[in-house]
Amino acid sequence: MLYDIAIIGAGPAGCTLARLLDRKYKVLLIDKRDITSENCNSKCCGGLLAPDAQEMLGRMGLVIPSSVLVDPQLFLVRTIDFDNRIERYYQRFYFNMDRLVFEQWLLSQVPANTDLALGCTFKNCEYIGEGVRFSFTYKGKSYRENARIIIGADGGHSLVRKSVFPDKKMPETYVAVQEWFETENSMPWYGAIFDSTITDFYSWTITKGKVLIIGSALKKNNLALDRFKMLKMKLRDNGLVYGKKILREGAFILRPNSISSIITGNDYCALVGEAAGFVSPSSAEGISYALKSAYHLASALNEGLDNFQSRYSKSVSKLKLSLFGKNLKCPGMYNRFLRGMVMRSGLMATDILF
Ligand SMILES: Cc1cc2nc3c(=O)[nH]c(=O)nc-3n(C[C@H](O)[C@H](O)[C@H](O)COP(=O)(O)OP(=O)(O)OC[C@H]3O[C@@H](n4cnc5c(N)ncnc54)[C@H](O)[C@@H]3O)c2cc1C
């Protein structure tokens, strides 16, 4: 075997895993994007670093450089409930980040003995007895490589998960659409919009410098873009001011509404981060889960490659429990009547003075 461990995906999960793996291993880290390039597409993401993710970075001794942050910093969530025609503000502490700069910084923490293969797209893999043979393309040409263990850190649309576990249930999958608009207005909040005619998940607005992002996690069907248009019209009617469109981007996002859809892998393949199904079903926050699951996987692998899977699946039981808790929270957020009651009560809401 050329490699002990091949990691597919250099997002928060893949980079964290590569950073924490014992130097005794020969490690390959592949990503279809060349994340180091200035022209690289940023992963479609709100780029908000939630307190759980901040805490995990701190626990791992990592200091976020200020170059990762963008204006404005956000301390409030403006919750707009179009179903019940009510708005409230809630205090929350996020770091507002440039997602690509965050990923570039995470990648810069990967040790030099890791082989990096950027611009390489994983295609498929097969079990060959003592390990895995996998194929990928680079600049249109196909290549093959072997590793004892393959790691799917390739996000919500994981091809590794689909190749190795084609029959296993996928968490419910939404299509997230984001559009970027020019704006002159900086807002000290992030908008969370609930409207059951648009989606049974939620939509959001975030300002980053001179850009306003409008996004929504939509049911995967041919009405998704019409619903997104309707969302923009409703927000304009509600007073949101924005200028010329700069770009539209999209990504799949998982919503694991049952713990059984989370898969950590088998003896020759591990799934980590969103590929495993670790992402909040209530807020779609996934960076903290990517960091935490990568930490647990690295700890399991660093004890040896034999039997690592049983150690890994045991150590993520707390993460699964946390997702179970987030699912319990969902009715209070997504049931129109319960949400209306909670918001009308003003419970935990912040009085606005402007
Ligand atoms: C619209 C949107 C907004 C979001 N906003 C937030 C937010 O504000 N805060 C938050 O905490 N979470 C947010 N999330 C969730 C968060 O982005 C993910 O849960 C998190 O990035 C998961 O990290 P990961 O490393 O598991 O996967 P990813 O970040 O998805 O990384 C996967 C990597 O694998 C690579 N890859 C994929 N397929 C292949 C392949 N075939 N071959 C090679 N490489 C491949 C990709 O290029 C990527 O770099 C959002 C998600 C979406 C879709």
Side-chain angles (χ1 to χ4, degrees):
M1 289 291 158
L2 183 54
Y3 288 101
D4 295 307
I5 299 169
I7 306 170
I8 314 299
C15 284
T16 303
L17 177 64
R19 185 176 63 78
L20 295 174
L21 281 174
D22 200 305
R23 308 285 155 101
K24 70 185 174 204
Y25 293 128
K26 184 136 180 59
V27 180
L28 173 68
L29 177 60
I30 284 188
D31 203 289
K32 63 183 177 187
R33 296 177 298 147
D34 180 358
I35 295 166
T36 52
S37 148
E38 271 185 23
N39 303 324
C40 177
N41 287 336
S42 180
K43 144 116 190 164
C44 172
C45 179
L48 297 182
L49 197 69
D52 274 358
Q54 298 166 22
E55 186 193 19
M56 190 58 195
L57 289 169
R59 284 178 61 201
M60 294 190 294
L62 289 178
V63 183
I64 291 211
S66 58
S67 56
V68 167
L69 304 182
V70 290
D71 287 341
Q73 291 310 312
L74 306 163
F75 306 113
L76 290 173
V77 179
R78 177 185 181 185
T79 308
I80 305 175
D81 180 343
F82 281 129
D83 290 328
N84 294 297
R85 308 220 58 78
I86 178 168
E87 280 192 28
R88 287 275 186 216
Y89 290 79
Y90 296 93
Q91 190 179 24
R92 293 283 182 278
F93 299 101
Y94 293 104
F95 282 163
N96 197 3
M97 304 186 297
D98 181 317
R99 168 80 196 213
L100 181 59
V101 180
F102 177 59
E103 288 182 320
Q104 287 169 338
W105 169 67
L106 286 175
L107 189 63
S108 73
Q109 306 296 309
V110 170
N113 68 323
T114 302
D115 282 354
L116 272 186
L118 300 177
C120 295
T121 303
F122 167 86
K123 290 295 176 188
N124 53 46
C125 62
E126 57 176 326
Y127 183 56
I128 50 164
E130 300 146 359
V132 188
R133 173 171 301 138
F134 57 97
S135 64
F136 58 92
T137 54
Y138 176 67
K139 295 195 172 163
K141 272 193 169 175
S142 293
Y143 297 86
R144 278 182 165 189
E145 218 50 274
N146 293 348
R148 275 195 64 193
I149 290 172
I150 189 159
I151 312 288
D154 48 344
H157 199 52
S158 171
L159 258 190
V160 177
R161 180 176 174 134
K162 286 181 188 133
S163 309
V164 182
F165 306 101
D167 302 325
K168 291 264 169 96
K169 186 178 157 198
M170 280 298 287
E172 192 172 359
T173 306
Y174 285 71
V175 54
V177 178
Q178 288 197 146
E179 285 186 358
W180 295 28
F181 298 92
E182 290 175 354
T183 186
E184 289 302 322
N185 307 323
S186 206
M187 294 170 263
W189 62 74
Y190 129 68
I193 301 114
F194 298 89
D195 183 332
S196 53
T197 64
I198 309 281
T199 174
D200 64 354
F201 210 174
Y202 82 113
S203 310
W204 54 89
T205 60
I206 302 167
T207 25
K208 286 189 193 282
K210 299 257 174 236
V211 170
L212 170 77
I213 296 177
I214 300 180
S216 187
L218 300 150
K219 284 267 183 212
K220 232 171 52 169
N221 59 35
N222 51 11
L223 291 177
L225 280 181
D226 290 337
R227 299 219 156 106
F228 189 73
K229 264 190 207 155
M230 203 158 90
L231 167 73
K232 286 187 292 178
M233 281 181 337
K234 283 190 164 186
L235 286 171
R236 230 187 239 279
D237 291 348
N238 199 51
L240 187 69
V241 179
Y242 53 92
K244 211 171 104 197
K245 184 159 93 187
I246 303 167
L247 67 86
R248 177 192 285 164
E249 55 186 2
F252 291 109
I253 185 150
L254 304 182
R255 194 180 192 192
N257 48 22
S258 120
I259 299 304
S260 63
S261 62
I262 293 166
I263 312 177
T264 54
N266 60 22
D267 285 348
Y268 64 87
C269 171
L271 300 175
V272 68
E274 206 174 324
F278 288 120
V279 56
S280 166
S282 56
S283 65
E285 189 274 316
I287 296 174
S288 71
Y289 287 98
L291 301 175
K292 287 178 188 176
S293 56
Y295 167 79
H296 288 298
L297 179 55
S299 306
L301 288 164
N302 287 344
E303 277 184 45
L305 300 188
D306 291 337
N307 254 337
F308 81 91
Q309 185 54 237
S310 66
R311 291 190 293 275
Y312 175 45
S313 64
K314 217 191 236 167
S315 64
V316 291
S317 49
K318 257 193 172 168
L319 282 190
K320 290 187 181 175
L321 199 64
S322 146
L323 290 182
F324 180 72
K326 301 274 181 195
N327 269 307
L328 292 181
K329 200 174 147 190
C330 279
M333 287 174 76
Y334 293 100
N335 178 290
R336 164 187 186 154
F337 298 103
L338 289 178
R339 187 178 62 239
M341 265 169 52
V342 173
M343 286 181 70
R344 266 185 219 103
S345 76
L347 186 73
M348 314 283 282
T350 299
D351 280 339
I352 290 304
L353 309 174
F354 53 85

